[in-house]
Amino acid sequence: MSDDHKEDPGLSSTGLSRRKFINTTALVGLTLGVAACDKTGAPGAAGEGTAAGAEGCASPTEIKPGELDTYYGLWSGGHNGDMRVLGLPSGREIHRIPCFVPDALVGWGITNESKAVMGTKPDGTPLYQVADTHHTHASYKDGNYDGRYAWINDKINSRIARIRLDYFVCDKITDLPNVQGFHGIFPDKADPVDPNKNYTTRVFCGGEFAIPLPNDGHDVNAPEKYRSLFSCVDAESMEVRWQVLIDGNCDLVATSYDGKLAATNQYNTENAVHYEDMMSAERDACLFFNVARIEQAVKDGKFKTYGTSSVPVVDGTRDGNKDPKTALVAYVSVPKNPHGVNASPDGKYFICAGKLSPTTTTIELSKVLDWFEGKMDKLDDAIVAEVEVGLGPLHTAFDGRGNAYTTLFLDSQVVKWNIEKAIAFHKGDKSAKYVVDRIDVHYQPGHINASQSETKAADGKYLAVGCKFSKDRFLPVGPLHPENEQLIDISGDKMVLLADHPVRGEPHDFIIFKRDIVTPKQVYNLDDSPIAVKDAKDSGVFRDGNKVTVKLTSQAPAFSLREFTVKKGDVVTLILTNLDKVEDLTHGFALPKYNIQFVINPQETKSVTFVADKPGVFWAYCSTFCHALHLEMRTRMIVEA
Ligand code: K7E
Ligand code: CUA
Ligand code: CA
């Protein structure tokens, strides 16, 4: 990034150099910060203006001991295959929800219940030990989050996980057939035909890598035959409803507020297998899927299936979709290897970032619908703005006041720009100064999201930026650096950097919403589990041949059985119900030499199955501090030779 005095095209302030600009930003932050200083630390709470930390004024990101954050953040957990729950503005990590990868704390991948969600190999171990989560989004109602579910992708094994936002646990994982490199994910926000369904019923998934269909060993050396698919998963059943065969590939996904359109940006229009060929075309595409027409085509039987999958696949290729009146898919041309497609909170536009082009492309959804209805000849007329914003634009967030915030990977900046002014500029009004502000971030930002950004309730308070490189921002810890999540106050005209938060790699995407959107339950219901041991009196060892069921309950500071005896070679299923009803009274169950450890929350039931292949005495102990007699909370498993 240069610090020269070149005038920024479209910069609203009077052509300040970047150096002057940074100084001005800092000053504004300081002065307004004092003016806006208030007890809650919420930006703008004392009127307009920002709330940057200043002398005599608590930092707006500081949540005092005993106070609660005002926002939840759901962060993708990257290579840990989990979802992380943050409190904002403090940035404190409150929870991790394991999904795709085993987790030692809760026993994810150890208990039968978690294995049933994860899937198992024939030997009973979890199907996969690795994952790469990128994108997380939550279910909608009336254009805002409704606190039912969140979803997260695993790019490595093309799996989608659902998280229940009542218990904050993963309850389903679905494998996408015919797909590799499942990347973008987005729930729909309404049904395209049924106005009563003003909530999420589908989740759309973009397949990034093209493969032979089916991928069974044929055509492996004929990359021109490889294909990518766009998938629709049922939000409730988590079954794959349908897929669309496309030309090129899918990257990120966005959905319209009326439910009619889903989109994916596409960087490999070239259908290439090598990177240099993937960037050979000057323009790639943003694809729009006509959801109602696709579902009608499926109903009408106009689909294929591949290999062992029974999921209907409709034709969304360019050749098959030339006539707008019957097209299922529209290919809008956007500049070179775009990345990110985001829906503006007013419901009017999708923004595609240029990545290899220094531009963002604004596409008006009503015009895409006009094209599908034969009312507009040239599809590319749906592009209402294509303006320069800086180098390496990737992802865009919104403040609900008409401004967009785009990360500039190469410039290490966030640029704030006004959508309507960009449209005016694109139309020919060269006096329209669409760039409102720029701020340096540290360093090389990828995803960005603002509080409530991807809802109609975008509130324009906080902006989080996922910086891929932290370099010098934290104490050195050897070669592997954390990433740097930065928090920016966007309540004023100028962005103000509030805080750095180190984060273990690599989260990519996240969402931020007001805390009252979810009302998590803190105690389970005994009836949640069909195998609950509802009374300590029901405990015991129940034998059926060499299959043994051990029923056990916990109530601080004791397990219901002081010991239990099995025989070497028995296949033991141990069912444990925590009868404690008190909030936060979690117990653990750790069994030496048998690779078993899991936690049981109040009124929760979990089970494990293992072969008692080692004779001897094994002290199973409570592994979660629960009581003054926690250390004494044990039971003895005796395995007779
Ligand atoms: Cu931009 Cu996978 Cu969302 Cu990373 S992707 S940054
Ligand atoms: Cu029960 Cu510790
Ligand atoms: Ca390309």
Side-chain angles (χ1 to χ4, degrees):
M1 171 189 58
S2 70
D3 227 0
D4 63 10
H5 287 241
K6 199 174 67 194
E7 191 162 335
D8 196 332
L11 184 63
S12 68
S13 56
T14 52
L16 290 168
S17 76
R18 182 159 294 159
R19 185 177 299 280
K20 277 189 200 149
F21 204 78
I22 290 162
N23 290 340
T24 313
T25 305
L27 269 175
V28 168
L30 206 65
T31 48
L32 287 185
V34 173
C37 182
D38 72 279
K39 284 203 178 103
T40 65
E48 71 265 46
T50 58
E55 246 180 292
C57 178
S59 160
T61 63
E62 184 192 339
I63 297 295
K64 294 251 165 60
E67 287 180 355
L68 300 179
D69 280 294
T70 45
Y71 292 87
Y72 281 96
L74 298 185
W75 250 249
S76 145
H79 304 82
N80 285 88
D82 56 3
M83 178 184 282
R84 298 178 194 161
V85 185
L86 271 60
L88 290 168
S90 75
R92 298 179 293 194
E93 184 183 294
I94 306 167
H95 190 38
R96 291 186 177 195
I97 305 165
C99 300
F100 300 109
V101 173
D103 178 83
L105 169 68
V106 300
W108 192 254
I110 297 291
T111 62
N112 294 332
E113 293 71 26
S114 60
K115 285 186 193 171
V117 174
M118 298 171 87
T120 50
K121 292 191 244 182
D123 70 356
T125 56
L127 205 49
Y128 300 108
Q129 306 286 332
V130 297
D132 179 23
T133 63
H134 286 221
H135 301 113
T136 175
H137 293 287
S139 57
Y140 286 80
K141 186 169 203 286
D142 298 325
N144 196 357
Y145 299 127
D146 64 2
R148 277 184 299 149
Y149 298 124
W151 289 271
I152 191 163
N153 76 309
D154 166 25
K155 182 168 170 175
I156 299 177
N157 295 307
S158 290
R159 313 181 90 201
I160 171 174
R162 182 174 73 186
I163 285 95
R164 291 174 58 156
L165 291 178
D166 53 356
Y167 290 124
F168 279 71
V169 292
C170 173
D171 76 333
K172 290 226 183 216
I173 292 178
T174 296
D175 286 62
L176 300 181
N178 307 322
V179 165
Q180 248 175 51
F182 157 36
H183 195 206
I185 182 172
F186 220 103
D188 70 357
K189 303 176 181 113
D191 190 86
V193 289
D194 182 352
N196 292 320
K197 285 192 182 161
N198 197 12
Y199 53 89
T200 296
T201 58
R202 307 169 181 78
V203 187
F204 300 109
C205 310
E208 190 177 337
F209 306 149
I211 48 172
L213 291 177
N215 193 20
D216 58 3
H218 83 287
D219 285 340
V220 290
N221 290 314
E224 67 282 359
K225 292 189 181 159
Y226 297 178
R227 290 296 180 159
S228 299
L229 300 177
F230 183 79
S231 306
C232 172
V233 173
D234 188 285
E236 282 303 325
S237 71
M238 287 289 285
E239 274 164 24
V240 185
R241 281 200 196 174
W242 44 260
Q243 297 182 302
V244 184
L245 181 82
I246 57 160
D247 286 320
N249 71 337
C250 304
D251 189 23
L252 279 289
V253 176
T255 61
S256 67
Y257 281 87
D258 61 10
K260 291 181 179 165
L261 297 170
T264 186
N265 67 288
Q266 168 171 106
Y267 64 78
N268 192 9
T269 306
E270 299 91 340
N271 267 326
V273 288
H274 300 131
Y275 79 89
E276 61 272 32
D277 301 320
M278 293 180 198
M279 47 190 272
S280 60
E282 275 315 302
R283 292 182 81 91
D284 286 289
C286 183
L287 278 56
F288 286 82
F289 298 87
N290 188 316
V291 177
R293 280 192 194 168
I294 289 168
E295 298 198 339
Q296 191 58 48
V298 172
K299 265 190 204 150
D300 296 344
K302 295 178 190 157
F303 61 80
K304 283 187 194 174
T305 59
Y306 292 101
T308 55
S309 162
S310 58
V311 174
V313 181
V314 299
D315 179 9
T317 58
R318 285 177 186 266
D319 276 352
N321 290 272
K322 281 188 177 145
D323 179 2
K325 292 219 163 139
T326 57
L328 309 180
V329 182
Y331 289 71
V332 176
S333 149
V334 299
K336 209 157 178 120
N337 290 39
H339 188 61
V341 53
N342 295 93
S344 64
D346 59 11
K348 290 196 290 265
Y349 309 111
F350 279 11
I351 314 270
C352 232
K355 194 167 77 185
L356 298 191
S357 157
T359 54
T360 53
T361 301
T362 303
I363 301 165
E364 189 168 341
L365 301 186
S366 66
K367 296 195 168 178
V368 175
L369 290 172
D370 282 350
W371 180 83
F372 274 119
E373 280 158 29
K375 293 186 201 155
M376 191 181 78
D377 288 344
K378 265 189 66 207
L379 178 56
D380 288 353
D381 287 346
I383 295 172
V384 291
E386 198 163 283
V387 295
E388 281 193 32
V389 291
L391 295 183
L394 292 186
H395 295 283
T396 299
F398 306 91
D399 63 9
R401 297 187 294 268
N403 300 305
Y405 299 76
T406 301
T407 46
L408 302 173
F409 181 81
L410 298 173
D411 275 341
S412 276
Q413 285 189 329
V414 172
V415 56
K416 172 181 178 180
W417 55 281
N418 184 278
I419 300 171
E420 293 304 332
K421 284 194 178 150
I423 293 170
F425 185 89
H426 183 80
K427 260 193 201 143
D429 176 4
K430 297 300 166 200
S431 70
K433 303 291 186 193
Y434 57 87
V435 172
V436 181
D437 192 19
R438 291 176 187 282
I439 190 170
D440 291 327
V441 293
H442 312 85
Y443 304 87
Q444 269 81 32
H447 272 280
I448 188 170
N449 224 331
S451 41
Q452 295 279 346
S453 169
E454 294 178 297
T455 72
K456 287 190 171 170
D459 66 6
K461 289 198 172 166
Y462 294 108
L463 183 75
V465 185
C467 298
K468 299 294 184 190
F469 296 80
S470 63
K471 297 183 188 176
D472 51 2
R473 301 294 280 197
F474 305 106
L475 286 174
V477 287
L480 181 61
H481 290 49
E483 294 185 25
N484 187 11
E485 304 281 316
Q486 294 192 301
L487 196 70
I488 293 172
D489 176 358
I490 53 166
S491 58
D493 286 341
K494 303 270 179 238
M495 293 177 276
V496 180
L497 183 61
L498 297 178
D500 285 0
H501 299 292
V503 61
R504 195 159 194 241
E506 181 181 339
H508 296 270
D509 202 6
F510 44 84
I511 60 171
I512 302 164
F513 55 84
K514 290 198 170 131
R515 69 184 184 195
D516 57 6
I517 281 181
V518 290
T519 38
K521 298 179 189 170
Q522 307 202 335
V523 175
Y524 276 87
N525 187 321
L526 282 184
D527 294 326
D528 288 341
S529 168
I531 55 169
V533 187
K534 293 188 180 177
D535 192 315
K537 291 201 291 282
D538 300 334
S539 306
V541 178
F542 304 88
R543 178 173 291 276
D544 176 11
N546 74 333
K547 287 206 165 65
V548 174
T549 304
V550 178
K551 294 186 180 176
L552 196 62
T553 63
S554 61
Q555 219 164 355
F559 292 109
S560 55
L561 299 176
R562 305 218 150 167
E563 75 265 326
F564 56 93
T565 302
V566 298
K567 292 196 177 73
K568 186 184 172 205
D570 283 346
V571 180
V572 179
T573 296
L574 184 142
I575 304 168
L576 174 53
T577 298
N578 181 2
L579 293 180
D580 276 312
K581 293 180 184 153
V582 182
E583 179 188 324
D584 205 6
L585 219 176
T586 295
H587 298 285
F589 185 87
L591 186 57
K593 307 298 177 192
Y594 278 91
N595 194 38
I596 287 170
Q597 198 297 125
F598 60 93
V599 300
I600 31 162
N601 297 297
Q603 302 279 290
E604 187 180 30
T605 300
K606 282 180 181 163
S607 66
V608 286
T609 299
F610 58 95
V611 178
D613 53 2
K614 292 169 279 282
V617 170
F618 301 89
W619 284 104
Y621 68 95
C622 177
S623 56
T624 299
F625 218 109
C626 55
H627 190 275
L629 292 171
H630 157 75
L631 286 174
E632 290 82 350
M633 185 167 173
R634 306 189 208 164
T635 180
R636 200 161 36 118
M637 179 172 81
I638 296 166
V639 182
E640 292 177 343

